[in-house]
Amino acid sequence: MWRTVESTPESPAPRAGHVLVKTADNVLLLHGGLGDGVLFDTVHEFRGETWRLLSTTGTKPAARTEHVAAVLGGELFVFGGWNAQLSSGGGGEIGDEIDVGELAEAEFFGGTFSLNLATQRWQRLTGASDPSPRRGACFASSSQQAALYIMGGHTSSTHVPDAVESTLIRFDLAQRRWAFVAPNP
């Protein structure tokens, strides 16, 4: 049965384009998104019945929307997204009509970031041979294979809605590297 959780001062602001993932101990983590013309770079934790803003340190990912995230091995991994704040339609709300000229000014993000959930410290994984920057991809994790998978998404050169990636790429947790699983058809 669905029910509404009461807001508190630490509840996240309304948003869209964010990620919400579950940890092994059933804690929800919310990152990023866009709401009322503001892009977010914060992480909120929902434990039991309470939201809490995490106080993270380190090299965190830039504020973004339409990115992907997964939890694996005690870390929150974040990849991709973009910083589009659409000016048409008054305020950059999700669902505003998109002007392709505005998209040309948006930055698509590559780079893989991890947040150690025990220390709450971010780091950018260097040398991870990151996939091309993209937004709107799908992400999955496999604890059995100690791997993350990313599929599809819009790349920075594909601003047209029907022009998307079709590659499947695997991140090996032990090697901390990405590798293509299947080439573009």
Side-chain angles (χ1 to χ4, degrees), residues 71-85:
V71 173
L72 186 63
E75 295 176 88
L76 169 66
F77 291 89
V78 170
F79 177 82
W82 66 333
N83 66 352
Q85 294 188 53

PDB file of all heavy atoms in Angstrom, residues 71-85:
ATOM      1  N   VAL A  71      24.469   0.992  -6.619  1.00  0.00           N
ATOM      2  CA  VAL A  71      25.259   0.689  -5.428  1.00  0.00           C
ATOM      3  C   VAL A  71      25.845  -0.705  -5.603  1.00  0.00           C
ATOM      4  O   VAL A  71      25.133  -1.644  -5.971  1.00  0.00           O
ATOM      5  CB  VAL A  71      24.402   0.757  -4.149  1.00  0.00           C
ATOM      6  CG1 VAL A  71      25.181   0.271  -2.944  1.00  0.00           C
ATOM      7  CG2 VAL A  71      23.916   2.187  -3.917  1.00  0.00           C
ATOM      8  N   LEU A  72      27.144  -0.806  -5.346  1.00  0.00           N
ATOM      9  CA  LEU A  72      27.819  -2.086  -5.446  1.00  0.00           C
ATOM     10  C   LEU A  72      29.043  -2.062  -4.543  1.00  0.00           C
ATOM     11  O   LEU A  72      29.812  -1.087  -4.565  1.00  0.00           O
ATOM     12  CB  LEU A  72      28.240  -2.356  -6.897  1.00  0.00           C
ATOM     13  CG  LEU A  72      28.846  -3.717  -7.211  1.00  0.00           C
ATOM     14  CD1 LEU A  72      27.840  -4.843  -6.945  1.00  0.00           C
ATOM     15  CD2 LEU A  72      29.304  -3.771  -8.665  1.00  0.00           C
ATOM     16  N   GLY A  73      29.207  -3.097  -3.715  1.00  0.00           N
ATOM     17  CA  GLY A  73      30.397  -3.215  -2.878  1.00  0.00           C
ATOM     18  C   GLY A  73      30.608  -2.063  -1.917  1.00  0.00           C
ATOM     19  O   GLY A  73      31.733  -1.626  -1.718  1.00  0.00           O
ATOM     20  N   GLY A  74      29.558  -1.525  -1.343  1.00  0.00           N
ATOM     21  CA  GLY A  74      29.688  -0.436  -0.377  1.00  0.00           C
ATOM     22  C   GLY A  74      29.960   0.927  -0.980  1.00  0.00           C
ATOM     23  O   GLY A  74      30.373   1.857  -0.285  1.00  0.00           O
ATOM     24  N   GLU A  75      29.724   1.064  -2.293  1.00  0.00           N
ATOM     25  CA  GLU A  75      29.939   2.341  -2.970  1.00  0.00           C
ATOM     26  C   GLU A  75      28.728   2.692  -3.825  1.00  0.00           C
ATOM     27  O   GLU A  75      28.086   1.813  -4.405  1.00  0.00           O
ATOM     28  CB  GLU A  75      31.160   2.274  -3.893  1.00  0.00           C
ATOM     29  CG  GLU A  75      32.471   2.060  -3.184  1.00  0.00           C
ATOM     30  CD  GLU A  75      33.601   1.900  -4.173  1.00  0.00           C
ATOM     31  OE1 GLU A  75      34.182   2.931  -4.578  1.00  0.00           O
ATOM     32  OE2 GLU A  75      33.874   0.748  -4.558  1.00  0.00           O
ATOM     33  N   LEU A  76      28.452   3.984  -3.907  1.00  0.00           N
ATOM     34  CA  LEU A  76      27.477   4.522  -4.845  1.00  0.00           C
ATOM     35  C   LEU A  76      28.261   4.984  -6.067  1.00  0.00           C
ATOM     36  O   LEU A  76      29.159   5.817  -5.944  1.00  0.00           O
ATOM     37  CB  LEU A  76      26.724   5.709  -4.228  1.00  0.00           C
ATOM     38  CG  LEU A  76      25.856   6.546  -5.173  1.00  0.00           C
ATOM     39  CD1 LEU A  76      24.683   5.728  -5.701  1.00  0.00           C
ATOM     40  CD2 LEU A  76      25.371   7.812  -4.488  1.00  0.00           C
ATOM     41  N   PHE A  77      27.941   4.440  -7.231  1.00  0.00           N
ATOM     42  CA  PHE A  77      28.601   4.834  -8.475  1.00  0.00           C
ATOM     43  C   PHE A  77      27.657   5.730  -9.265  1.00  0.00           C
ATOM     44  O   PHE A  77      26.465   5.441  -9.380  1.00  0.00           O
ATOM     45  CB  PHE A  77      28.961   3.609  -9.314  1.00  0.00           C
ATOM     46  CG  PHE A  77      30.048   2.780  -8.710  1.00  0.00           C
ATOM     47  CD1 PHE A  77      29.752   1.756  -7.831  1.00  0.00           C
ATOM     48  CD2 PHE A  77      31.375   3.043  -9.012  1.00  0.00           C
ATOM     49  CE1 PHE A  77      30.745   0.995  -7.262  1.00  0.00           C
ATOM     50  CE2 PHE A  77      32.385   2.284  -8.446  1.00  0.00           C
ATOM     51  CZ  PHE A  77      32.075   1.256  -7.566  1.00  0.00           C
ATOM     52  N   VAL A  78      28.201   6.828  -9.819  1.00  0.00           N
ATOM     53  CA  VAL A  78      27.437   7.783 -10.618  1.00  0.00           C
ATOM     54  C   VAL A  78      28.156   7.984 -11.940  1.00  0.00           C
ATOM     55  O   VAL A  78      29.380   8.137 -11.971  1.00  0.00           O
ATOM     56  CB  VAL A  78      27.290   9.133  -9.875  1.00  0.00           C
ATOM     57  CG1 VAL A  78      26.712  10.204 -10.782  1.00  0.00           C
ATOM     58  CG2 VAL A  78      26.430   8.970  -8.638  1.00  0.00           C
ATOM     59  N   PHE A  79      27.381   7.987 -13.026  1.00  0.00           N
ATOM     60  CA  PHE A  79      27.958   8.217 -14.345  1.00  0.00           C
ATOM     61  C   PHE A  79      26.967   9.005 -15.198  1.00  0.00           C
ATOM     62  O   PHE A  79      25.759   8.830 -15.111  1.00  0.00           O
ATOM     63  CB  PHE A  79      28.269   6.893 -15.061  1.00  0.00           C
ATOM     64  CG  PHE A  79      28.804   7.114 -16.441  1.00  0.00           C
ATOM     65  CD1 PHE A  79      30.140   7.402 -16.633  1.00  0.00           C
ATOM     66  CD2 PHE A  79      27.962   7.101 -17.542  1.00  0.00           C
ATOM     67  CE1 PHE A  79      30.639   7.662 -17.903  1.00  0.00           C
ATOM     68  CE2 PHE A  79      28.440   7.354 -18.814  1.00  0.00           C
ATOM     69  CZ  PHE A  79      29.786   7.629 -18.990  1.00  0.00           C
ATOM     70  N   GLY A  80      27.519   9.855 -16.068  1.00  0.00           N
ATOM     71  CA  GLY A  80      26.748  10.504 -17.113  1.00  0.00           C
ATOM     72  C   GLY A  80      25.837  11.615 -16.637  1.00  0.00           C
ATOM     73  O   GLY A  80      26.023  12.203 -15.573  1.00  0.00           O
ATOM     74  N   GLY A  81      24.833  11.900 -17.467  1.00  0.00           N
ATOM     75  CA  GLY A  81      23.911  12.998 -17.215  1.00  0.00           C
ATOM     76  C   GLY A  81      24.319  14.240 -17.979  1.00  0.00           C
ATOM     77  O   GLY A  81      25.235  14.235 -18.797  1.00  0.00           O
ATOM     78  N   TRP A  82      23.618  15.317 -17.679  1.00  0.00           N
ATOM     79  CA  TRP A  82      23.933  16.604 -18.304  1.00  0.00           C
ATOM     80  C   TRP A  82      23.466  17.725 -17.415  1.00  0.00           C
ATOM     81  O   TRP A  82      22.772  17.515 -16.424  1.00  0.00           O
ATOM     82  CB  TRP A  82      23.364  16.684 -19.702  1.00  0.00           C
ATOM     83  CG  TRP A  82      21.856  16.698 -19.849  1.00  0.00           C
ATOM     84  CD1 TRP A  82      20.919  16.164 -19.008  1.00  0.00           C
ATOM     85  CD2 TRP A  82      21.126  17.252 -20.922  1.00  0.00           C
ATOM     86  NE1 TRP A  82      19.653  16.352 -19.501  1.00  0.00           N
ATOM     87  CE2 TRP A  82      19.745  17.012 -20.675  1.00  0.00           C
ATOM     88  CE3 TRP A  82      21.484  17.919 -22.077  1.00  0.00           C
ATOM     89  CZ2 TRP A  82      18.739  17.423 -21.552  1.00  0.00           C
ATOM     90  CZ3 TRP A  82      20.477  18.316 -22.938  1.00  0.00           C
ATOM     91  CH2 TRP A  82      19.128  18.082 -22.675  1.00  0.00           C
ATOM     92  N   ASN A  83      23.860  18.954 -17.786  1.00  0.00           N
ATOM     93  CA  ASN A  83      23.520  20.115 -16.962  1.00  0.00           C
ATOM     94  C   ASN A  83      22.535  21.043 -17.646  1.00  0.00           C
ATOM     95  O   ASN A  83      22.525  22.231 -17.377  1.00  0.00           O
ATOM     96  CB  ASN A  83      24.791  20.888 -16.574  1.00  0.00           C
ATOM     97  CG  ASN A  83      25.472  21.527 -17.771  1.00  0.00           C
ATOM     98  OD1 ASN A  83      25.112  21.294 -18.911  1.00  0.00           O
ATOM     99  ND2 ASN A  83      26.494  22.315 -17.499  1.00  0.00           N
ATOM    100  N   ALA A  84      21.686  20.497 -18.504  1.00  0.00           N
ATOM    101  CA  ALA A  84      20.731  21.332 -19.232  1.00  0.00           C
ATOM    102  C   ALA A  84      19.768  22.019 -18.278  1.00  0.00           C
ATOM    103  O   ALA A  84      19.163  21.389 -17.428  1.00  0.00           O
ATOM    104  CB  ALA A  84      19.938  20.492 -20.223  1.00  0.00           C
ATOM    105  N   GLN A  85      19.691  23.322 -18.393  1.00  0.00           N
ATOM    106  CA  GLN A  85      18.693  24.112 -17.677  1.00  0.00           C
ATOM    107  C   GLN A  85      17.978  24.926 -18.748  1.00  0.00           C
ATOM    108  O   GLN A  85      18.446  25.975 -19.132  1.00  0.00           O
ATOM    109  CB  GLN A  85      19.346  25.015 -16.631  1.00  0.00           C
ATOM    110  CG  GLN A  85      19.998  24.222 -15.527  1.00  0.00           C
ATOM    111  CD  GLN A  85      20.454  25.130 -14.418  1.00  0.00           C
ATOM    112  OE1 GLN A  85      19.683  25.920 -13.900  1.00  0.00           O
ATOM    113  NE2 GLN A  85      21.696  25.015 -14.043  1.00  0.00           N
TER     114      GLN A  85
END
